Amino acid sequence: MARLSERIAWRVGSAAASAVKNSRRLLNLRLLLPPPISFYCKSPSYMAPFPSGIMSPVVDLFVRELWKPIKKHFGYCLKPESKVRKLAKAADDLKENIDLVKEKIKLGELEGKKPRVQATRWIDDSAKLVEDESYRIKNTYDGRSTHIFGCSWNCFFNYRISSAATKKKADADELQESTPKNDSIFSLLPPVGRELPLPPNIMGQNRYMKEIVACIKQGTMSFIGICGMGGAGKTTLLKQLNNIFSCAAETHEFDYIIYVEIGQQQDLDTVRQNVASQLGLVIGKDESTTFRSSSLYNFLKERKFLLLIDDLWQTLDLVQIGIPQGGRLIGPQNRQMIVITTRLQHLCHRMQVHGQVIMLQRLEFEEAWNLFDANAGCNRVTNSSAQIRVYAKSIVNMCGGLPLALKIVGQAMASKESEHEWKHAMILLRRSQFHKVPDAESNLFSLLYISYENLPDERTKHCFLFFVLAGYDHYSYVPYAINLWIGHGFLDEDDDIRNNYLRGHSVVGCLKRACLLEEHPRGENYVRMHDIIRGLALWIVQMQQGDRHNNKWQVRLCGEPMEPEEWSTAQRISLTGMNPINIPDSCSCICLLTLSVPRSKIIGSVPTGFFRTAPSLTYLDLSQTNIQELPSDVGALLNLQHLDLSHTPIRAIQMELQLLKSLRYLYLGHTRRLKTIPYGTISSLSMLRVLDLYNSGLFSVDRTQTYIEELESLVWLQSLGFTVDDSESLHRLLNFSNNSLKFLNVQGVEGLQFLHISPSLIGIMRAHQLEKLMFRGMKSLEELLIGETIMASDWNFQSLDDLILVDLPKLESIVWKGVVPHVCLPTLRFLVMYGCHSIKTLTWIKELPCLKEIYLIDCGSMLELVADDEEANTSTAAHSFPRLKLLGLSQLGNLQNICGGTLSFPCFQRLLVYKCPMLVKLPSGLMTEERLPLILGRQDWWEQLCWEDSSMESTLFPFFRELPASFRGNFVDVGNALIM
């Protein structure tokens, strides 16, 4: 009792000393204020009211600083039982929550889920408090010595046990409030796959879907085959499987869902790269095939994956790709499975699909009618006309239960409302069957022909047919397809090239609505054509030309050889692929109008004499080949209108090019080795509408200025890409009377320390039209100033898509004057900085509304991508980097931070970090509850990262991918690693 009295006296004395000290300070303040009218002390209740005056602050301090602490500590001595009882109740509640969370973790781990570090730490902390503290206090109290009336008169014991119980109850309450919720118990899972777009109104596939899903879940088969004729719905079924298991990531049945399109052009390197990209892996192109295959194999061999292979035409060697093949278990634990689709049933057996082969059957009439009606909307019409309903049923029957035919023919009939229109369609369908070729799919083509006939005009029909010359098996780049149409004369109806491109995008939209093209998962700038539709287009060409036996259009997707007689009779030739392509030098190609061999790196030359045999050639595409020079007989192509030599190592343009008086479109962009264009060549091509010399080779100042002078004579020029390397040429080009400049590369200007981009340099109209802008190799440039004090409100780069700053070692800052970045660059999508060693930050980029890709490479002084903004708040954070998807950081030796934690990245997908030793912290804004980005880097960099919260490391680790030893960190490597 004496010890307790001493302890209480000490606490009271301490409180009193503090109170006196505080009272003096408060008293001095109160003396400066007018006295209150009255003051009543309400606690304790037996104290009488005091008059107002100088005693008021003293009494107030006594109550707050002395009486309440004394009452609290005396209370510990009086009612220990109630406090221990409250602690026991809180401990029991906490124990129930611990057991509940443990049970959820146990069930989740059976499904392959990984608990978060916060959840396991909460269990450990809670269990320690419950078992080691709360129960000990309760047991100690229960074992106390009691006296009369069952009470303990040991005040010191009561005080100690009450104090401990009160503190532990507060801890228990705090832990109770922080109990992990369902969505915070487990780590976010790596992206098992990506959802693919599906057509609406899918019919007749539920029974197949249930059967295949059951097989996958039970693991009874390692391989599953889906067979059926073209247009039966194999691809749609496979995409549904992809989406089911990709969206069910929380069940974690598979670590990865991999969707690969093969088609007739089977290339193992392309397939391997496609698989690696979906896994987030980077495999070096310079490595051997064996090494690349082993990289995939070693990554996948211990992981659960579902590989979906679409449109197989020949046996695919999965071992060479790197797909684990041996030792798979049978049963629910089998988590390495492969599903293939093919038209050829024997391929399933050759691919070891011996047990489970799903044969897609034609739709029953009711399902077929529902699908047709969903696309044609015919119920509204047929309900008002019995005759139209008869025609509609007949059309459905003619479609033979094939989903693709029902969908496309239904779309073609969507606008038909009169009996005459439906009758005409019936006649058209019946008549087209008499023109079929002896082909297994000819009946289907004759049905789909109505969708072609229903296109709005002849131009759209021609564009549809010529799309097959674009070459890619699975997708085509929309601007490339539009250039192809323009080059064949389908869209160049007026002098405004912008209208031509708008018209081209309109045609793409029309073909999409007719279901003749479909958008590719890579985005709106990419489209694909179903191989049945491609066959339809070639079939229509044959029918129109009466060419049932000799194909005048030769479209080869695999680089298979063409015989000399095929060259001699062909009108349009499109060859793509990595197999050697032999262009003949002797056979006569008098009928040849189009020759397109893009992306064929094996082609290194065109044999001398070939162009003399093809005098009718109007369209020649040799882009992305290894062509270094054209033969001198190129001058024989007097009818040539389109010539594409972009992205080639060509060194010189032959003098004979001046003879091509009909040439309208000349593409020489990205020809870095080009050194010579003979004087007078440009001006002699008087019909040119497009001339692209963007990022081409360096010419002398005299030659450049001569070329600019020659441009003045091109009165039809509508689109110009150009490269200049001196100030005078730059000013002359920007003052060029024609407003055709679209792509501008300013490179190697010597002695230029300050560049002011303003309305006085680039006028409003020219600024509006620029689409690509590059500054390259200006060694002395220190500042780039954009804007001026007094600005026109409409001066901006409203069409600029790419901004590229390369090899500007002294550039320290980009300054904005009189204009804000997001208004000046409203459409900028692509930003590259390479070899800019003096710039330290790029804070201005954070609010660019359309910015999707950023590449920062070899910028030695870069300290921070976006510096902290003291004025930043929640609203600005919500709008920062609104569309950014890809960020590549390579060889930034001093980079310490990407940005502050207040910035958001709502669309972010991939981050690459290479040789950034000072970057030891990642911004929390990269992560959201819905999605985490893939992070690519070296293992030693990952291990040195510091984390604000240790759970952040465990959450992000499943999303980390190590870069290969062959990775060099240049722009090509970084771009290839980030592009999905």
mmCIF file of all heavy atoms in Angstrom, residues 696-709:
data_model
loop_
_atom_site.group_PDB
_atom_site.id
_atom_site.type_symbol
_atom_site.label_atom_id
_atom_site.label_comp_id
_atom_site.label_asym_id
_atom_site.label_seq_id
_atom_site.Cartn_x
_atom_site.Cartn_y
_atom_site.Cartn_z
ATOM 1 N N SER A 696 15.932 10.817 -93.232
ATOM 2 C CA SER A 696 16.745 10.205 -94.278
ATOM 3 C C SER A 696 18.199 10.612 -94.067
ATOM 4 O O SER A 696 18.542 11.283 -93.094
ATOM 5 C CB SER A 696 16.252 10.646 -95.651
ATOM 6 O OG SER A 696 16.345 12.052 -95.760
ATOM 7 N N GLY A 697 19.071 10.189 -94.995
ATOM 8 C CA GLY A 697 20.494 10.451 -94.840
ATOM 9 C C GLY A 697 20.848 11.928 -94.880
ATOM 10 O O GLY A 697 20.078 12.767 -95.345
ATOM 11 N N LEU A 698 22.046 12.232 -94.387
ATOM 12 C CA LEU A 698 22.514 13.619 -94.383
ATOM 13 C C LEU A 698 23.007 14.015 -95.763
ATOM 14 O O LEU A 698 23.815 13.316 -96.382
ATOM 15 C CB LEU A 698 23.651 13.789 -93.370
ATOM 16 C CG LEU A 698 23.240 13.897 -91.906
ATOM 17 C CD1 LEU A 698 24.486 13.945 -91.026
ATOM 18 C CD2 LEU A 698 22.407 15.140 -91.678
ATOM 19 N N PHE A 699 22.499 15.149 -96.232
ATOM 20 C CA PHE A 699 22.983 15.720 -97.482
ATOM 21 C C PHE A 699 23.789 16.975 -97.160
ATOM 22 O O PHE A 699 23.656 17.569 -96.089
ATOM 23 C CB PHE A 699 21.806 16.076 -98.404
ATOM 24 C CG PHE A 699 20.856 14.931 -98.645
ATOM 25 C CD1 PHE A 699 19.556 14.969 -98.169
ATOM 26 C CD2 PHE A 699 21.273 13.813 -99.350
ATOM 27 C CE1 PHE A 699 18.683 13.918 -98.390
ATOM 28 C CE2 PHE A 699 20.404 12.757 -99.569
ATOM 29 C CZ PHE A 699 19.112 12.808 -99.092
ATOM 30 N N SER A 700 24.608 17.390 -98.096
ATOM 31 C CA SER A 700 25.349 18.631 -97.905
ATOM 32 C C SER A 700 24.379 19.808 -97.883
ATOM 33 O O SER A 700 23.246 19.708 -98.358
ATOM 34 C CB SER A 700 26.371 18.814 -99.033
ATOM 35 O OG SER A 700 25.694 19.024 -100.267
ATOM 36 N N VAL A 701 24.854 20.945 -97.310
ATOM 37 C CA VAL A 701 23.999 22.127 -97.218
ATOM 38 C C VAL A 701 23.548 22.570 -98.612
ATOM 39 O O VAL A 701 22.374 22.910 -98.822
ATOM 40 C CB VAL A 701 24.737 23.269 -96.500
ATOM 41 C CG1 VAL A 701 23.894 24.552 -96.520
ATOM 42 C CG2 VAL A 701 25.065 22.866 -95.067
ATOM 43 N N ASP A 702 24.463 22.564 -99.561
ATOM 44 C CA ASP A 702 24.119 22.994 -100.919
ATOM 45 C C ASP A 702 23.042 22.092 -101.517
ATOM 46 O O ASP A 702 22.085 22.573 -102.143
ATOM 47 C CB ASP A 702 25.363 22.985 -101.805
ATOM 48 C CG ASP A 702 26.347 24.073 -101.417
ATOM 49 O OD1 ASP A 702 25.918 25.022 -100.727
ATOM 50 O OD2 ASP A 702 27.528 23.953 -101.790
ATOM 51 N N ARG A 703 23.207 20.779 -101.320
ATOM 52 C CA ARG A 703 22.221 19.851 -101.872
ATOM 53 C C ARG A 703 20.856 20.046 -101.211
ATOM 54 O O ARG A 703 19.817 20.049 -101.873
ATOM 55 C CB ARG A 703 22.697 18.407 -101.694
ATOM 56 C CG ARG A 703 23.764 17.978 -102.681
ATOM 57 C CD ARG A 703 24.126 16.522 -102.485
ATOM 58 N NE ARG A 703 25.109 16.093 -103.456
ATOM 59 C CZ ARG A 703 24.831 15.592 -104.660
ATOM 60 N NH1 ARG A 703 23.568 15.483 -105.033
ATOM 61 N NH2 ARG A 703 25.780 15.214 -105.488
ATOM 62 N N THR A 704 20.866 20.211 -99.879
ATOM 63 C CA THR A 704 19.602 20.388 -99.166
ATOM 64 C C THR A 704 18.866 21.618 -99.677
ATOM 65 O O THR A 704 17.654 21.571 -99.935
ATOM 66 C CB THR A 704 19.857 20.512 -97.658
ATOM 67 O OG1 THR A 704 20.511 19.329 -97.191
ATOM 68 C CG2 THR A 704 18.557 20.689 -96.898
ATOM 69 N N GLN A 705 19.579 22.719 -99.806
ATOM 70 C CA GLN A 705 18.920 23.938 -100.275
ATOM 71 C C GLN A 705 18.459 23.804 -101.719
ATOM 72 O O GLN A 705 17.411 24.351 -102.102
ATOM 73 C CB GLN A 705 19.877 25.122 -100.113
ATOM 74 C CG GLN A 705 20.197 25.421 -98.652
ATOM 75 C CD GLN A 705 21.033 26.677 -98.479
ATOM 76 O OE1 GLN A 705 21.275 27.411 -99.440
ATOM 77 N NE2 GLN A 705 21.479 26.918 -97.264
ATOM 78 N N THR A 706 19.198 23.039 -102.497
ATOM 79 C CA THR A 706 18.773 22.794 -103.879
ATOM 80 C C THR A 706 17.486 21.986 -103.900
ATOM 81 O O THR A 706 16.554 22.272 -104.675
ATOM 82 C CB THR A 706 19.870 22.058 -104.649
ATOM 83 O OG1 THR A 706 21.051 22.846 -104.676
ATOM 84 C CG2 THR A 706 19.412 21.763 -106.080
ATOM 85 N N TYR A 707 17.426 20.969 -103.025
ATOM 86 C CA TYR A 707 16.214 20.147 -102.961
ATOM 87 C C TYR A 707 15.008 20.997 -102.537
ATOM 88 O O TYR A 707 13.898 20.823 -103.068
ATOM 89 C CB TYR A 707 16.396 18.994 -101.982
ATOM 90 C CG TYR A 707 17.497 18.017 -102.358
ATOM 91 C CD1 TYR A 707 18.145 17.266 -101.388
ATOM 92 C CD2 TYR A 707 17.885 17.858 -103.690
ATOM 93 C CE1 TYR A 707 19.153 16.378 -101.729
ATOM 94 C CE2 TYR A 707 18.896 16.977 -104.031
ATOM 95 C CZ TYR A 707 19.536 16.241 -103.049
ATOM 96 O OH TYR A 707 20.532 15.363 -103.390
ATOM 97 N N ILE A 708 15.237 21.942 -101.603
ATOM 98 C CA ILE A 708 14.131 22.811 -101.172
ATOM 99 C C ILE A 708 13.671 23.694 -102.329
ATOM 100 O O ILE A 708 12.472 23.924 -102.526
ATOM 101 C CB ILE A 708 14.558 23.645 -99.953
ATOM 102 C CG1 ILE A 708 14.827 22.725 -98.756
ATOM 103 C CG2 ILE A 708 13.476 24.663 -99.589
ATOM 104 C CD1 ILE A 708 15.381 23.444 -97.538
ATOM 105 N N GLU A 709 14.633 24.176 -103.108
ATOM 106 C CA GLU A 709 14.271 24.970 -104.282
ATOM 107 C C GLU A 709 13.456 24.130 -105.269
ATOM 108 O O GLU A 709 12.483 24.611 -105.866
ATOM 109 C CB GLU A 709 15.540 25.499 -104.964
ATOM 110 C CG GLU A 709 16.258 26.584 -104.171
ATOM 111 C CD GLU A 709 17.538 27.017 -104.857
ATOM 112 O OE1 GLU A 709 17.827 26.487 -105.952
ATOM 113 O OE2 GLU A 709 18.247 27.875 -104.300
#
